[in-house]
Amino acid sequence: MNRLAHHQGIHKFFFTLGLTLQLSKPVIKHLIHIVDALTTKGFSGTLTDIHYWSFHPNHRTTLRHFFTKSPWNEERLLGKLQEWILSQVERLAKRKNQPLFVSIDDTICQKTKPSSRAVHAIQGCDWHYSHKDHQSVWGHSLVWLMVHTFTQAFPFAFRLYDKKAGKSKIDLAIEMLSSLKVKRAQPVYVLMDSWYPSKKLIEACLKQGFHVIAMLKTNRILYPKGIAIQAKQFARYIESKDTRLVTVGQERYRVYRYEGAIHGLDDAVVLLAWKADQPMAPEHLHCILSTDRELGDEDILRYYAQRWTIECFFRQAKDQLKLDGYRVRHIRAVKRYWAVVLLSCVYSIAESRQNLSTGLELLRSRKDHSVVEFIYDAAKQDIPIDVIKKQLRIA
């Protein structure tokens, strides 16, 4: 009997990426089943689910072996995926004459803290402070990098933050940025929240010819007229008449533009901004840095707003693709699981040519049709119903 039609769609995508030349046939077959399962509604992250939802023909233990011991190269897979992503976004940015955005942020894949008697705990977990929960949680902390235009966004790379390994999140971000081989026909803006814009990371971006737009902490030192002062202290001297009203999307802001040195950077723009409907008090102050001094206030705020893309990705990847749902314990298996989530995410976006949720809707409806066609074809060939049920795991 034919494999399900939507498996052919996944195979075609792998062929486009050039993966069919890089990986063996058994590995490709496993990956097709795994991507199928991950993009199925109701998937929870377990190997049992992968086996069940993708109608996997082999025993479940072969999946565990595939994630833990099988000699395939996930770095090669990610490399091919990254080449394809860059070619897509560069072409789009050039065609629409728009900038390219790179967003950096981290997220925690929360796990249950094992008891001291647990023999097999998930490797690589630690306590990490969660800003969302305002407390430390047990799990894996991942630094992610996304590449996007105004209309299309792809997750690009990730690194596991391991406190014991001696590399900071800033180091991991720099590492990923260096793998970003952009032709730079369009300007590139690296977007980050107030946790990331250290001197070291800003310098790494500028060295690659990228600009930075980032939220700054309000205690960052500015040097108006050469005098060192915290941004929030400086803001006390700013009156409403010194600001101008700027509209970004649905929001209006009062903006004061500071140009000059900040701590760790000789020459930059910092916008001191307040929502127009809030008092100009220190607790409502936002400070946004741009290393591109040519940009107007509206563009700086509009570009920074694109950082929301990575927040949406984290939420969807956890809700829809179970980025944090894995139960595999070996650290290599965990990293491979994340690589396959990234692959499934990019495949969904590529198929819909829109975004992750639209892509998943499309793939899920395609799978439903594919199963119906599978049953119809089997019935036409007079294949006994018990055999069909067995094939579809409903015997």
Side-chain angles (χ1 to χ4, degrees), residues 39-50:
T39 52
T40 302
K41 195 174 174 61
F43 173 72
S44 76
T46 64
L47 295 182
T48 309
D49 261 10
I50 292 176

Side-chain angles (χ1 to χ4, degrees), residues 188-239:
V188 179
Y189 292 94
V190 182
L191 314 175
M192 44 187 121
D193 66 13
S194 61
W195 201 91
Y196 279 93
S198 66
K199 184 176 193 285
K200 191 176 173 186
L201 183 49
I202 292 171
E203 278 176 358
C205 291
L206 295 175
K207 197 173 158 192
Q208 274 190 255
F210 303 160
H211 278 297
V212 173
I213 298 181
M215 190 68 77
L216 293 179
K217 292 194 166 78
T218 57
N219 62 358
R220 193 72 171 237
I221 303 290
L222 309 179
Y223 296 91
K225 298 194 166 62
I227 299 158
I229 186 171
Q230 287 187 352
K232 60 184 173 191
Q233 301 299 126
F234 178 59
R236 292 176 188 274
Y237 298 102
I238 300 168
E239 294 177 32

Side-chain angles (χ1 to χ4, degrees), residues 41-247:
K41 195 174 174 61
F43 173 72
S44 76
T46 64
L47 295 182
T48 309
D49 261 10
I50 292 176
H51 195 249
Y52 179 82
W53 289 117
S54 71
F55 311 122
H56 202 290
N58 302 38
H59 193 267
R60 201 169 65 232
T61 50
T62 61
L63 278 171
R64 179 162 281 111
H65 181 270
F66 176 77
F67 276 104
T68 312
K69 295 184 181 134
S70 174
W72 60 282
N73 189 332
E74 61 275 20
E75 291 303 322
R76 196 172 287 171
L77 180 142
L78 290 170
K80 284 286 171 198
L81 208 47
Q82 289 169 347
E83 278 173 30
W84 183 85
I85 290 167
L86 281 182
S87 71
Q88 294 296 306
V89 288
E90 283 180 331
R91 204 171 66 221
L92 197 62
K94 199 172 170 188
R95 197 175 78 226
K96 300 199 169 185
N97 195 23
Q98 291 175 349
L100 249 175
F101 299 110
V102 177
S103 289
I104 297 169
D105 206 352
D106 54 273
T107 189
I108 298 169
C109 293
Q110 198 170 340
K111 294 286 146 199
T112 310
K113 175 84 173 89
S115 75
S116 54
R117 293 193 299 280
V119 187
H120 300 299
I122 295 180
Q123 294 176 350
C125 286
D126 210 324
W127 290 104
H128 299 283
Y129 184 76
S130 164
H131 293 280
K132 182 168 68 81
D133 302 312
H134 303 293
Q135 62 179 27
S136 284
V137 298
W138 182 257
H140 291 119
S141 176
L142 282 180
V143 183
W144 279 84
L145 198 135
M146 278 196 91
V147 179
H148 44 119
T149 63
F150 281 117
T151 51
Q152 185 93 81
F154 291 102
F156 185 80
F158 62 83
R159 291 284 187 279
L160 172 66
Y161 168 55
D162 179 357
K163 291 178 180 177
K164 298 178 195 75
K167 279 187 185 174
S168 69
K169 289 179 186 176
I170 300 284
D171 294 332
L172 298 176
I174 291 170
E175 219 174 80
M176 287 190 284
L177 279 167
S178 66
S179 71
L180 205 61
K181 303 283 183 260
V182 186
K183 292 192 185 78
R184 284 216 305 278
Q186 306 302 113
V188 179
Y189 292 94
V190 182
L191 314 175
M192 44 187 121
D193 66 13
S194 61
W195 201 91
Y196 279 93
S198 66
K199 184 176 193 285
K200 191 176 173 186
L201 183 49
I202 292 171
E203 278 176 358
C205 291
L206 295 175
K207 197 173 158 192
Q208 274 190 255
F210 303 160
H211 278 297
V212 173
I213 298 181
M215 190 68 77
L216 293 179
K217 292 194 166 78
T218 57
N219 62 358
R220 193 72 171 237
I221 303 290
L222 309 179
Y223 296 91
K225 298 194 166 62
I227 299 158
I229 186 171
Q230 287 187 352
K232 60 184 173 191
Q233 301 299 126
F234 178 59
R236 292 176 188 274
Y237 298 102
I238 300 168
E239 294 177 32
S240 181
K241 64 177 172 40
D242 304 321
T243 64
R244 55 185 289 261
L245 278 172
V246 173
T247 306

